[in-house]
Amino acid sequence: MLWPAKSQPTRIRQGLSQPGWGKDVNREQTLQTVEEKVQAGERLSFEEGVYLDENVDVLTLGRLANVVRERKNGDFAYYNTNVHLNPTNVCVYRCTFCAFRADLKAEKAYEFTDEMIRERVLEAKQAGATEIHVVGGLHHLKPFDWYLNVVRVIHETYPELHIKAWTPVEIHWFSHMTKKPVRWVLEQLIDAGLGSLPGGGAEIFHPEVRDQICEHKADAQQWFDIHREAHALGLRSNATMLYGHIEKAKHRIDHLCRLRELQDETGGFQTFISLAFHPENTKLSHITKASGLVDLKVIAMARLMLDNFDHIKAYWIMLSEKIAQVALGFGADDIDGTVVHELIYHDAGAKTPEGLTVEQMHRLIREAGRIPVERDTLYRRVIREGANWSIGEPLLAEMAS
């Protein structure tokens, strides 16, 4: 069954008994019920989510999602000044959706040296970046100390730079190869300078899909256990979902409900990012890339279902700048950052630039009718003078006051 863990969802009004819905459903009445719950700030059930995803047009979904978005974040739209570092593309796994990975002896295989890492970090410092986002392949010949050293070198080179590094898939691999508990791995990384975890590796949680697209890497339970452990240690983290491949609406809603449940337990997630599958150069290249309307629908559904997440991100480098702009009216309140040196999506055929300037970010946000606010990784206001910056108050606390 696809119900969220611990309990089956309650039946929504009008006697609807299963996802998929019968022909006798009064759709107008059902939508009215859902609209009333959204306006009242009440939680939507798994079945209501599937109903919305399968039956309601994207403009209506956007209108409802915008109610939640403005209730939580007003007209603010957040961005940060960040750079990416993908230290190696050599990977032990062969996920069918990945165009980034390489075999050890492949022509495109690479790995960063300490000097290359320092160069990237100093570039980030010169640009006034507040965050570096670190993910990459799982190089089977590199010990855990190599990955730990990546964090250490970054922190020693630029201590003020927030290090958001290593997804649960990577943390699980580190635990596997060291034969040490996840908590020990995380503690070593924190001591080296780790600031938070990115949300990658989630893909789709349900085994009907996960077993087909990434059967060997960390499963859904391990992904959740690692985030739970990170939250217990005081780390904040993000969450993602990969859509637009072989999954269906029920798998997407199941995914969101599982995230919502852990957030109820720990409160450790900061933002959710929906990631559109880019089929080019993957083993699923026969699949047509999701349309802009699908992108907007997924973002709107995330905003409606994840009532306990403060932020929904429209990742412009994957969506395109134009879709990210529109998404600011469909539930998203964040468009990520300047994102210099991103490789993973560009290897899969993304046509977006490899970075945007702060001025370009401001223009995108203002054209969408929102107010641009620079944030740090932990959603505190960044007070900036050129490349120099300092951190202000948490933004939601600032809004509440």
Side-chain angles (χ1 to χ4, degrees):
M1 297 292 287
L2 291 170
W3 312 127
K6 296 186 180 179
S7 63
Q8 289 189 352
T10 55
R11 308 302 184 199
I12 68 170
R13 285 167 264 183
Q14 289 83 48
L16 303 175
S17 61
Q18 60 182 359
W21 318 97
K23 294 181 180 179
D24 58 339
V25 172
N26 184 329
R27 294 186 178 184
E28 183 177 340
Q29 189 176 2
T30 303
L31 181 57
Q32 181 181 350
T33 299
V34 171
E35 289 203 41
E36 290 171 356
K37 292 182 73 172
V38 170
Q39 293 291 347
E42 297 176 10
R43 173 162 290 184
L44 301 182
S45 70
F46 170 82
E47 284 187 314
E48 288 168 326
V50 175
Y51 167 75
L52 290 173
D53 196 305
E54 293 183 339
N55 295 283
V56 177
D57 67 273
V58 67
L59 293 178
T60 299
L61 293 176
R63 175 174 57 80
L64 293 174
N66 192 54
V67 171
V68 183
R69 180 250 194 271
E70 293 190 353
R71 181 189 299 145
K72 287 182 174 289
N73 291 285
D75 277 331
F76 290 153
Y78 308 110
Y79 71 94
N80 68 340
T81 304
N82 63 348
V83 298
H84 279 218
L85 173 65
N86 308 122
T88 182
N89 63 348
V90 176
C91 191
V92 67
Y93 294 127
R94 297 175 177 273
C95 300
T96 58
F97 61 82
C98 183
F100 173 69
R101 72 161 306 278
D103 290 327
L104 179 62
K105 296 183 180 180
E107 184 178 348
K108 75 169 190 172
Y110 73 87
E111 60 187 66
F112 268 60
T113 64
D114 287 2
E115 187 56 37
M116 292 166 69
I117 294 170
R118 291 190 191 95
E119 183 179 338
R120 177 65 53 85
V121 173
L122 292 174
E123 179 185 339
K125 183 176 183 179
Q126 185 176 7
T130 63
E131 172 192 288
I132 187 166
H133 178 111
V134 185
V135 296
L138 298 175
H139 195 310
H140 56 291
L141 298 184
K142 297 296 184 185
F144 172 56
D145 283 348
W146 185 83
Y147 295 90
L148 189 64
N149 185 64
V150 171
V151 176
R152 186 180 294 115
V153 170
I154 294 170
H155 186 62
E156 290 175 352
T157 305
Y158 183 14
E160 295 78 19
L161 188 64
H162 182 101
I163 304 171
K164 182 173 70 179
W166 310 133
T167 71
V169 172
E170 290 152 323
I171 301 296
H172 177 259
W173 175 254
F174 303 158
S175 177
H176 168 75
M177 66 178 172
T178 59
K179 297 181 172 52
K180 296 285 190 178
V182 165
R183 177 176 282 261
W184 180 88
V185 170
L186 289 170
E187 287 173 341
Q188 300 305 303
L189 290 166
I190 291 170
D191 287 345
L194 180 70
S196 65
L197 297 187
E203 323 314 356
I204 289 288
F205 294 134
H206 199 278
E208 284 182 1
V209 176
R210 195 176 190 85
D211 289 351
Q212 295 184 62
I213 64 172
C214 53
E215 61 178 334
H216 297 298
K217 72 182 184 183
D219 62 23
Q221 188 59 55
Q222 291 161 337
W223 191 95
F224 279 107
D225 287 345
I226 289 166
H227 276 279
R228 183 180 289 108
E229 196 74 75
H231 296 169
L233 289 170
L235 291 175
R236 303 300 300 275
S237 65
N238 294 340
T240 63
M241 178 178 71
L242 184 71
Y243 67 92
H245 42 91
I246 63 172
E247 93 289 352
K248 296 181 172 59
K250 61 183 182 180
H251 301 120
R252 293 191 294 270
I253 302 303
D254 171 72
H255 189 101
L256 296 173
C257 287
R258 295 190 198 204
L259 289 174
R260 188 171 68 182
E261 184 176 323
L262 183 60
Q263 183 74 330
D264 279 343
E265 178 186 334
T266 70
F269 287 122
Q270 297 200 110
T271 187
F272 170 81
I273 310 103
S274 53
L275 301 173
F277 173 56
H278 283 236
E280 189 175 330
N281 301 322
T282 75
K283 294 178 182 178
L284 297 173
S285 58
H286 60 282
I287 293 176
T288 302
K289 183 182 176 297
S291 69
L293 290 178
V294 171
D295 294 334
L296 294 172
K297 180 174 78 169
V298 172
I299 288 170
M301 287 304 309
R303 182 64 285 171
L304 290 168
M305 298 302 296
L306 297 176
D307 54 81
N308 54 6
F309 276 61
D310 288 330
H311 304 287
I312 302 293
K313 186 181 292 185
Y315 187 35
W316 69 262
I317 207 159
M318 169 269 292
L319 294 171
S320 80
E321 302 101 302
K322 291 182 179 179
I323 294 297
Q325 275 186 306
V326 177
L328 292 175
F330 281 69
D333 61 272
D334 191 308
I335 60 172
D336 200 78
T338 47
V339 196
V340 179
H341 296 300
E342 194 280 340
L343 295 178
I344 294 175
Y345 266 92
H346 284 92
D347 279 0
K351 306 302 182 186
T352 49
E354 287 194 16
L356 291 178
T357 66
V358 169
E359 291 75 17
Q360 288 172 315
M361 302 290 286
H362 280 211
R363 178 182 58 78
L364 287 175
I365 291 169
R366 288 196 176 103
E367 286 178 351
R370 301 299 189 183
I371 302 168
V373 178
E374 183 175 1
R375 59 162 179 87
D376 74 344
T377 307
L378 302 178
Y379 282 86
R380 299 170 297 186
R381 183 185 289 275
V382 172
I383 302 167
R384 179 174 295 280
E385 292 183 15
N388 299 317
W389 51 270
S390 60
I391 300 299
E393 293 297 315
L395 288 160
L396 291 182
E398 184 180 302
M399 279 186 61
S401 64

